Amino acid sequence: MIKTHLRGSGCSTYIADMKVRIGEDEAFFYPDVMVTCDPADQLPEQDYTKNAPKLIIEVLSPSTESRDRGSKFMHYRQLASLQEYVLIDPTHYYVEVFRRQNADEWLLRTCQGQDTSLILQSIGLTLSLLDLYEDVRFDVPPSA
């Protein structure tokens, strides 16, 4: 949905196989999804690493959740270009959006329930959680 929405905008969407570089300390991460609109990130020499994403999305899992919420977010906040950091819970309709307010403040907005809208201000996209989770099969507990 993001890629379709951004078609022709000059922004690019990357999924899982593109790394982002954080500052001069040479920290690198592979976000689940990232969007960059920076012309420098479109140059051929940047084919394997991006430096200025405006949106990063991580899908949580039991093995990555604490890292996604902790050390990764701490590093991501160093990116001056980053406007939104999104955490998606794959077990139910629940998304957290951290939106930059200024250099040192981030506002958390939670979206819960299939009828809730997710607003990605950084790229001007609004979608329902029902659409976002379209192909997700939630574990259904056995009936008693």
Side-chain angles (χ1 to χ4, degrees), residues 70-140:
S71 62
K72 278 174 107 174
F73 189 31
M74 179 186 72
H75 279 94
Y76 289 157
R77 288 192 307 257
Q78 295 175 36
L79 295 164
S81 63
L82 188 64
Q83 296 174 22
E84 288 177 310
Y85 181 54
V86 178
L87 299 174
I88 298 174
D89 187 323
T91 64
H92 61 284
Y93 295 101
Y94 186 78
V95 177
E96 295 176 339
V97 179
F98 292 88
R99 191 167 291 128
R100 185 185 296 270
Q101 300 302 294
N102 61 49
D104 297 323
E105 291 183 303
W106 290 79
L107 178 67
L108 169 62
R109 178 173 187 261
T110 59
C111 305
Q112 187 170 5
Q114 67 182 9
D115 297 326
T116 303
S117 291
L118 170 62
I119 300 168
L120 299 174
Q121 287 182 355
S122 61
I123 59 170
L125 176 64
T126 300
L127 52 112
S128 74
L129 292 195
L130 187 62
D131 289 337
L132 178 69
Y133 284 80
E134 179 180 3
D135 295 325
V136 177
R137 295 184 58 174
F138 298 113
D139 289 338
V140 179

Side-chain angles (χ1 to χ4, degrees), residues 9 21 37 52 99 132:
S9 71
R21 179 179 177 199
C37 301
R99 191 167 291 128
L132 178 69

